[in-house]
Amino acid sequence: AVGVPVSDNGVPQPGDYTKMEFDWKTDPRSYLKPMDSNFTDYNVLLDAHMHTTYSDGVLSPKQAIDYAIANGYNAVIVTDHQTVAGSIAAKKYAEKHHSDQITVITGMEYTCCRIHMNLIGINKSVAVTPPFPSDDELRDVINKVHDMGGLVIVNHIPWSNATMLPWNDARLPNNPTREQLLDWGVDGFEVVNQNTFDLRSYQFVQENSDRLVALTGSDMHYPGSSYAWTTINAENRTAEAILDEIRNRRTSFLLDASGTRPLQLAPYNKNYFKYAPWGLIGDYFYGYADKYTGQYSFQGTFCQNEVLDTHGTMMGWFVLWLIVSILVLEILYWFFRWLLLLVAHAIHGCITRRRAR
């Protein structure tokens, strides 16, 4: 599991997420209708994409399950980057403490510099290919998951293709097209990620409804609002029954673009106050240059070449203001020294005159 989350300057994050509890219950059925108006009978509200401390999430598997229950889900697919370990831990906790409230489906998020895919319904981690896998290597991953009895869902295409500056390129360069992915045999697309509705992917799934399924995911890393719930009408609420409905492409979803309430702030982390002053000093000097590392590959590298943009003009002004400050301090020093001498001389003269009397 990942340790204490830290910020870019090395200072622990302000929030202590280990102490968070979720004691409310949201009921999305009470105010939302499925995207497919004919899909009115459902017994499963699924979050098909969430993370824990086993990758880059801040909630433990226990907390992630409690958070999901509070936000109206009765099924989740835990998909930590590059490992099924988080989902297995969450499944064990849910079966022991909340078997009547929520079902956990195991999986992982296959993460590289070309694509992010949820590999669901598997109990063993799939080895990750290089940061920039070839088309054939991606096909091999898809085929391997199918051989394991799992499904492959393509995640957040709008996020993957969003332009990143200063490279002016996609966040995940050379992201495969939907048509390529369909040809390679993926099983579906994530049509809602957090609060982004991917209309084009939704339309693509509708156009290929005999081969593709639409799922939604919170992509939860930090606890916040929930925006979408995949609706499924399963024979029962076991993982196998839910996966069977997904395989048969029988899903719809609820969507709340405003997000749920309540929200909860994490209590302050005491270590943050301890180290924050040094971090703030570091942030000041970091301000004289912009360091762009790009998108992390989750394989120890980044997807873009690092760019360091130093602000020479800002440094010049810093030197100039430093010189001005030194001159002002020097002037103030001599002024107050002269003033003190003048006062001392006046006092001495006053004393001398009194003695002369």
PDB file of all heavy atoms in Angstrom, residues 122 182 201 232 247 250:
ATOM      1  N   ILE A 122     -11.026 -10.214 -12.861  1.00  0.00           N
ATOM      2  CA  ILE A 122      -9.831 -11.057 -12.788  1.00  0.00           C
ATOM      3  C   ILE A 122      -9.308 -11.040 -11.358  1.00  0.00           C
ATOM      4  O   ILE A 122      -9.514 -10.072 -10.626  1.00  0.00           O
ATOM      5  CB  ILE A 122      -8.738 -10.589 -13.763  1.00  0.00           C
ATOM      6  CG1 ILE A 122      -8.319  -9.144 -13.468  1.00  0.00           C
ATOM      7  CG2 ILE A 122      -9.220 -10.703 -15.203  1.00  0.00           C
ATOM      8  CD1 ILE A 122      -7.133  -8.655 -14.276  1.00  0.00           C
ATOM      9  N   LEU A 182     -12.190  -1.261 -30.855  1.00  0.00           N
ATOM     10  CA  LEU A 182     -13.269  -2.199 -31.177  1.00  0.00           C
ATOM     11  C   LEU A 182     -12.711  -3.372 -31.968  1.00  0.00           C
ATOM     12  O   LEU A 182     -13.042  -4.537 -31.690  1.00  0.00           O
ATOM     13  CB  LEU A 182     -14.358  -1.482 -31.984  1.00  0.00           C
ATOM     14  CG  LEU A 182     -15.527  -2.339 -32.478  1.00  0.00           C
ATOM     15  CD1 LEU A 182     -16.315  -2.895 -31.296  1.00  0.00           C
ATOM     16  CD2 LEU A 182     -16.432  -1.527 -33.401  1.00  0.00           C
ATOM     17  N   SER A 201     -18.176   8.640 -26.931  1.00  0.00           N
ATOM     18  CA  SER A 201     -18.031   7.220 -26.614  1.00  0.00           C
ATOM     19  C   SER A 201     -19.396   6.574 -26.383  1.00  0.00           C
ATOM     20  O   SER A 201     -19.629   5.416 -26.772  1.00  0.00           O
ATOM     21  CB  SER A 201     -17.151   7.030 -25.380  1.00  0.00           C
ATOM     22  OG  SER A 201     -15.801   7.333 -25.677  1.00  0.00           O
ATOM     23  N   ILE A 232     -27.887  -1.908 -13.285  1.00  0.00           N
ATOM     24  CA  ILE A 232     -27.912  -3.273 -13.796  1.00  0.00           C
ATOM     25  C   ILE A 232     -29.046  -4.019 -13.112  1.00  0.00           C
ATOM     26  O   ILE A 232     -29.291  -3.833 -11.913  1.00  0.00           O
ATOM     27  CB  ILE A 232     -26.572  -3.984 -13.517  1.00  0.00           C
ATOM     28  CG1 ILE A 232     -25.434  -3.307 -14.300  1.00  0.00           C
ATOM     29  CG2 ILE A 232     -26.638  -5.469 -13.852  1.00  0.00           C
ATOM     30  CD1 ILE A 232     -24.059  -3.828 -13.962  1.00  0.00           C
ATOM     31  N   ARG A 247     -21.345  -8.600 -19.436  1.00  0.00           N
ATOM     32  CA  ARG A 247     -20.955  -9.342 -20.645  1.00  0.00           C
ATOM     33  C   ARG A 247     -22.053  -9.310 -21.702  1.00  0.00           C
ATOM     34  O   ARG A 247     -21.781  -9.265 -22.906  1.00  0.00           O
ATOM     35  CB  ARG A 247     -20.647 -10.797 -20.292  1.00  0.00           C
ATOM     36  CG  ARG A 247     -19.331 -11.010 -19.574  1.00  0.00           C
ATOM     37  CD  ARG A 247     -18.983 -12.494 -19.505  1.00  0.00           C
ATOM     38  NE  ARG A 247     -17.776 -12.680 -18.732  1.00  0.00           N
ATOM     39  CZ  ARG A 247     -17.747 -12.926 -17.416  1.00  0.00           C
ATOM     40  NH1 ARG A 247     -18.912 -13.022 -16.752  1.00  0.00           N
ATOM     41  NH2 ARG A 247     -16.610 -13.081 -16.786  1.00  0.00           N
ATOM     42  N   ARG A 250     -26.114  -5.380 -20.870  1.00  0.00           N
ATOM     43  CA  ARG A 250     -27.406  -4.897 -20.377  1.00  0.00           C
ATOM     44  C   ARG A 250     -27.159  -3.933 -19.218  1.00  0.00           C
ATOM     45  O   ARG A 250     -27.188  -4.319 -18.042  1.00  0.00           O
ATOM     46  CB  ARG A 250     -28.276  -6.078 -19.959  1.00  0.00           C
ATOM     47  CG  ARG A 250     -28.696  -6.980 -21.118  1.00  0.00           C
ATOM     48  CD  ARG A 250     -29.760  -7.972 -20.705  1.00  0.00           C
ATOM     49  NE  ARG A 250     -29.231  -9.033 -19.870  1.00  0.00           N
ATOM     50  CZ  ARG A 250     -28.942 -10.260 -20.299  1.00  0.00           C
ATOM     51  NH1 ARG A 250     -29.099 -10.567 -21.588  1.00  0.00           N
ATOM     52  NH2 ARG A 250     -28.502 -11.189 -19.458  1.00  0.00           N
TER      53      ARG A 250
END
